[in-house]
Amino acid sequence: MKSLVIDAASDKIFLVIINNKNIYTSTHENSKSNFDKLIIFINDFLKKNEISINKIDQIYVNRGPGSF
């Protein structure tokens, strides 16, 4: 089971892949200009860890509170 966690509700963007017993993480500064790059960050993170989006079973997104 592969899960992707996306948390962009605070001053950092956190990306986490949980792949069975392995956990991979990435963080980026969060700002209104950087937020537009979220999809790029996710794609790069998946490529770096050699996981296709098609192989992700579950996606979790933190919705807030955030500043948007």
Side-chain angles (χ1 to χ4, degrees):
M1 175 83 71
K2 292 180 180 82
S3 300
L4 173 63
V5 179
I6 303 166
D7 182 352
S10 65
D11 61 338
K12 296 230 184 242
I13 297 171
F14 294 98
L15 302 173
V16 180
I17 295 172
I18 303 169
N19 183 6
N20 298 317
K21 294 184 180 184
N22 298 316
I23 297 175
Y24 308 97
T25 62
S26 178
T27 60
H28 302 276
E29 292 299 317
N30 194 0
S31 66
K32 290 187 182 199
S33 62
N34 217 12
F35 196 75
D36 292 336
K37 300 175 186 174
L38 182 59
I39 297 301
I40 295 168
F41 292 151
I42 293 169
N43 282 333
D44 290 348
F45 180 55
L46 291 170
K47 284 180 189 176
K48 177 182 174 188
N49 292 289
E50 300 177 356
I51 296 175
S52 167
I53 192 70
N54 297 330
K55 299 296 181 184
I56 298 292
D57 299 303
Q58 299 173 328
I59 298 175
Y60 299 93
V61 178
N62 182 354
R63 298 187 327 170
S67 62
F68 299 101

